[in-house]
């Protein structure tokens, strides 16, 4: 190689050729010499930082300038190459399951079941109000607490009324002075009955020959005693037990409500139907009612009596009213129920087999359907809604537009 350089210099060639030759020689020498590959690892470094303020970092012990806590010693360890020798070997293609089947939704019309949550409520048609037919003073109360059960014909209270006393005296006067005037006698007796006396009480006055100072008022129906009026409603008279507001010695005026009787032999099931299903819910449709706290109990059958023309502001639902018989008093006011309505029309939408319900890995915001089946409808949160069906299922959604 030295001879080659000397030869080129002696021949007087351009210096550029010399440089080119030297570069070629260096490349040849580099290719013929193998250098061993060396791994370099960073050494561990120590520093001090605050547990509450990790942005505070120092190379010596001390206190945090923010909170005053002692700094904690930390160490940055050297980088370690990952060891992949313990990783499992991928399974062969022969072990891959081949029984997985894919299904596609189909558009069809299916008979569905509309499921609606609800609650048991009073039937206002069974309310019986006991009002004072005459003004007077309550001398004695025979019922003292809300929801105290009473039977028809049971005493509720005794009242002293100057008006009743006067009418009794008029009847006795007619009996004494004009006993043969049946028209006048009938008119006097009828007036006492209209003022609240029973036929038996009128006969007792005629038989004794003297007026009764206290007149007993009897219950016109069986049920539970409550109060009535704005004050009673504000106090939760229909929801809470407690003493009655009226007491012995209180004065009442003519027409004033004194008590209210509630008969629960018939109750309402108030079902919340979503606005999207209202078009398929009509009065007269069959409804199956199940109790949420007793799902094993026998379901109750009823019919939609009324769909209220009002959608609540808190949820896009309307109330469907179902009348239920409660002669055995098994249904309690406020009890949660679930109603399943059988609409007369079919629902058209995308359907998939019930066996195709999604398992782990379904889209975020959806949960597996818990009912037997459902129809899919596009929801505002990207998930499909569901409607119960007999042959299909789809994921349920927990978004703002889900049911």
């Amino acid at each position: 190689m030295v001879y080659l350089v000397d030869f080129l210099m002696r021949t007087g060639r351009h210096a550029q050729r010399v440089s080119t030759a030297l570069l070629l020689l260096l490349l040849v020498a580099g290719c013929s010499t193998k250098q061993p590959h060396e791994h370099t690892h960073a050494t561990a470094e120590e520093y001090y930082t605050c547990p509450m303020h990790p942005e505070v970092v120092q190379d010596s012990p001390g206190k945090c300038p923010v909170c005053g806590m002692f700094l904690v010693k930390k160490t940055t360890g050297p980088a370690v190459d990952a060891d992949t020798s313990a990783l499992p070997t991928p399974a062969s293609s022969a072990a891959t399951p081949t029984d997985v089947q894919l299904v596609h939704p189909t558009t069809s019309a299916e008979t569905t079941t509309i499921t609606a949550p609800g609650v048991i409520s009073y039937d206002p048609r069974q309310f019986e109000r006991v009002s004072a037919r005459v003004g007077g003073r309550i001398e004695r109360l025979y019922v003292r607490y809300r929801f105290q059960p009473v039977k028809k014909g049971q005493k509720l209270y005794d009242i002293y009324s100057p008006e009743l006393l006067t009418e009794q005296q008029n009847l006795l006067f007619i009996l004494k002075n004009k006993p043969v005037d049946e028209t006048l006698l009938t008119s006097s007796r009828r007036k006492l009955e209209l003022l609240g006396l029973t036929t038996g009480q009128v006969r007792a006055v005629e038989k004794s020959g003297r007026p009764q100072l206290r007149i007993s008022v009897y219950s016109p129906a069986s049920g539970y005693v409550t109060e009535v009026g704005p004050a009673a409603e504000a106090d939760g008279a229909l929801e809470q037990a407690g003493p009655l507001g009226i007491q012995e010695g209180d004065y009442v005026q003519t027409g004033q409500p004194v008590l209210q009787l509630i008969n629960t032999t018939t109750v309402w099931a108030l079902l919340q139907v979503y606005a999207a299903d209202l078009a398929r819910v009509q009065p007269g449709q069959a409804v199956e009612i199940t109790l949420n706290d007793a799902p094993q109990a026998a379901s109750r059958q009823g019919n939609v009596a009324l769909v209220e023309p009002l959608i609540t502001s808190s949820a896009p639902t309307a109330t469907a009213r179902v009348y239920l018989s409660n002669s055995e008093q098994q249904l309690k006011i406020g009890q949660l129920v679930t109603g399943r309505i059988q609409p007369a029309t079919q629902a058209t939408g995308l359907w998939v087999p019930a066996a195709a319900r999604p398992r782990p890995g379904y889209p975020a915001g959806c949960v597996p359907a818990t009912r037997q089946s459902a129809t899919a409808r596009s929801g505002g949160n990207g998930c499909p809604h569901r409607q119960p069906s007999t042959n299909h299922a789809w994921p349920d959604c927990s978004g703002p537009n889900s049911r």
Side-chain angles (χ1 to χ4, degrees):
M1 291 185 292
V2 175
Y3 295 118
L4 177 60
V5 175
D6 183 67
F7 172 76
L8 294 174
M9 294 294 293
R10 283 185 290 120
T11 57
R13 300 204 175 178
H14 197 273
Q16 182 178 2
R17 295 183 179 181
V18 176
S19 300
T20 304
L22 290 175
L23 179 60
L24 291 174
L25 291 175
L26 291 175
L27 290 174
V28 172
C31 293
S32 62
T33 305
K34 294 184 178 179
Q35 296 294 335
H37 177 68
E38 297 181 358
H39 292 280
T40 59
H41 299 281
T43 59
E45 296 182 359
E46 296 181 354
Y47 66 95
Y48 296 84
T49 182
C50 177
M52 301 300 295
H53 302 88
E55 67 275 9
V56 178
V57 179
Q58 296 182 6
D59 56 358
S60 60
K63 292 186 177 181
C64 175
V66 179
C67 62
M69 294 181 62
F70 286 98
L71 301 182
V72 178
K73 181 180 179 181
K74 298 288 184 179
T75 303
T76 57
V80 180
D81 293 337
D83 184 8
T84 60
S85 60
L87 295 178
T89 304
S92 62
S93 59
T96 304
T98 59
D99 58 346
V100 177
Q101 298 180 358
L102 299 179
V103 295
H104 298 279
T106 59
T107 302
S108 62
E110 298 287 342
T111 301
T112 61
T113 300
I114 298 175
T115 303
V119 64
I120 298 298
S121 182
Y122 293 108
D123 183 355
R125 301 174 304 172
Q126 303 297 320
F127 287 8
E128 187 77 26
R129 181 174 297 183
V130 180
S131 301
R133 297 194 180 186
V134 293
R137 182 180 62 199
I138 303 296
E139 296 291 332
R140 184 175 181 181
L141 275 175
Y142 296 95
V143 290
R144 298 181 180 275
Y145 298 94
R146 299 171 184 169
F147 300 109
Q148 182 175 337
V150 296
K151 299 293 184 180
K152 183 178 181 179
Q154 180 177 334
K155 280 186 179 181
L156 297 178
Y157 60 89
D158 292 342
I159 186 173
Y160 167 77
S161 172
E163 185 177 357
L164 286 177
L165 182 60
T166 301
E167 291 301 327
Q168 292 179 79
Q169 292 173 345
N170 291 339
L171 174 61
L172 293 177
F173 179 81
I174 294 173
L175 284 174
K176 182 178 180 180
N177 296 280
K178 295 183 179 181
V180 295
D181 193 344
E182 290 296 332
T183 302
L184 197 56
L185 283 174
T186 302
S187 177
S188 181
R189 291 167 181 162
R190 180 59 178 166
K191 186 173 183 179
L192 285 173
E193 291 177 356
L194 293 175
L195 292 177
L197 272 69
T198 64
T199 303
Q201 289 175 315
V202 174
R203 291 177 181 175
V205 172
E206 295 178 0
K207 185 177 180 179
S208 64
R210 55 183 180 179
Q212 298 181 7
L213 298 180
R214 294 182 178 181
I215 299 298
S216 298
V217 177
Y218 298 90
S219 175
S222 299
Y224 298 94
V225 176
T226 61
E227 296 174 281
V228 67
E233 294 178 1
D235 192 31
L238 298 180
E239 300 177 359
Q240 300 177 1
L244 293 172
I246 189 169
Q247 301 293 328
E248 293 180 353
D250 290 350
Y251 284 84
V252 294
Q253 299 177 354
T254 303
Q256 175 182 338
V258 181
L259 299 172
Q260 183 170 250
L261 303 176
I262 298 178
N263 191 321
T264 57
T265 55
T266 301
V267 295
W268 287 359
L270 302 180
L271 305 179
Q272 301 302 314
V273 181
Y274 284 88
D277 298 324
L278 287 178
R280 298 189 295 132
V281 178
Q282 301 295 331
Q285 292 176 340
V287 182
E288 180 185 6
I289 303 293
T290 56
L291 305 179
N292 292 7
D293 55 358
Q296 72 283 356
S299 60
R300 296 173 178 266
Q301 305 299 323
N303 298 92
V304 177
L306 174 69
V307 179
E308 297 181 0
L310 174 66
I311 295 180
T312 59
S313 58
S314 57
T317 60
T319 301
R321 186 186 304 169
V322 181
Y323 299 150
L324 296 176
S325 176
N326 192 31
S327 56
E328 298 179 357
Q329 300 295 312
Q330 293 182 353
L331 299 177
K332 306 301 180 184
I333 304 302
Q335 197 169 15
L336 299 180
V337 298
T338 299
R340 292 174 175 84
I341 306 173
Q342 301 293 335
T345 59
Q346 293 182 326
T348 302
L350 293 175
W351 301 82
V352 295
R357 292 185 300 177
R359 294 295 185 250
Y362 47 80
C366 297
V367 297
T370 56
R371 303 172 190 165
Q372 184 178 0
S373 53
T375 178
R377 296 202 310 270
S378 176
N381 58 351
C383 296
H385 288 308
R386 75 174 178 184
Q387 283 289 339
S389 167
T390 55
N391 301 316
H392 302 78
W394 198 259
D396 200 8
C397 296
S398 58
N401 297 324
S402 65
R403 57 184 60 220

